Amino acid sequence: MADAVELDALWENFHRVVNMTSAELADWLRVRDSGELTEPLPDDAGSPLGQHVLAILQKRRMDLTEDDLRAMRKVVDLVTSQTDLENEPVAEDTGRRHRLMTIGHDPLKA
């Protein structure tokens, strides 16, 4: 398990880049996965990483597992590599926005 300082930094960074609430993310994952012919069960909607982010948002820091920490690092890395958090939003790039929203980051949200 990560030491307390590293865990605090990761927790802060994760919650800085994941700017959607668990309800917003759950709704987005269901909408994103809905289709004309079939829809997954609401609890199965979205990518595995999106589902993991949703689960992490519903946990307390003290309940995080090593797997959660790996997912949190991955999300922080993905969002920071694909965005410039200081100069968002980029409204005209809908595809990029939707990809980021599947892991809990809405570029148009302040």
Side-chain angles (χ1 to χ4, degrees):
M1 186 64 89
D3 68 18
V5 173
E6 182 184 343
L7 181 59
D8 288 345
L10 179 58
W11 182 263
E12 279 185 36
N13 286 333
F14 178 78
H15 285 286
R16 178 178 53 86
V17 300
V18 176
N19 63 0
M20 295 169 70
T21 66
S22 58
E24 290 170 332
L25 179 56
D27 288 347
W28 173 252
L29 293 176
R30 281 192 298 273
V31 167
R32 185 77 173 160
D33 262 9
S34 64
E36 290 182 24
L37 301 177
T38 62
E39 288 186 34
L41 295 173
D43 292 340
D44 295 333
S47 69
L49 183 56
Q51 283 295 318
H52 202 156
V53 170
L54 184 59
I56 292 168
L57 288 174
Q58 297 167 346
K59 288 185 174 188
R60 299 176 302 171
R61 184 180 356 205
M62 62 191 290
D63 296 329
L64 296 173
T65 65
E66 285 295 328
D67 196 36
D68 294 335
L69 298 179
R70 279 190 294 277
M72 290 169 71
R73 286 183 194 101
K74 183 174 184 174
V75 168
V76 169
D77 289 346
L78 283 170
V79 172
T80 54
S81 72
Q82 295 183 31
T83 62
D84 178 0
L85 294 174
E86 303 300 318
N87 295 315
E88 282 188 330
V90 181
E92 60 274 358
D93 193 350
T94 303
R96 177 180 152 272
R97 177 181 182 226
H98 289 177
R99 283 189 305 278
L100 289 167
M101 287 175 67
T102 64
I103 57 173
H105 179 78
D106 185 351
L108 299 183
K109 194 173 182 182

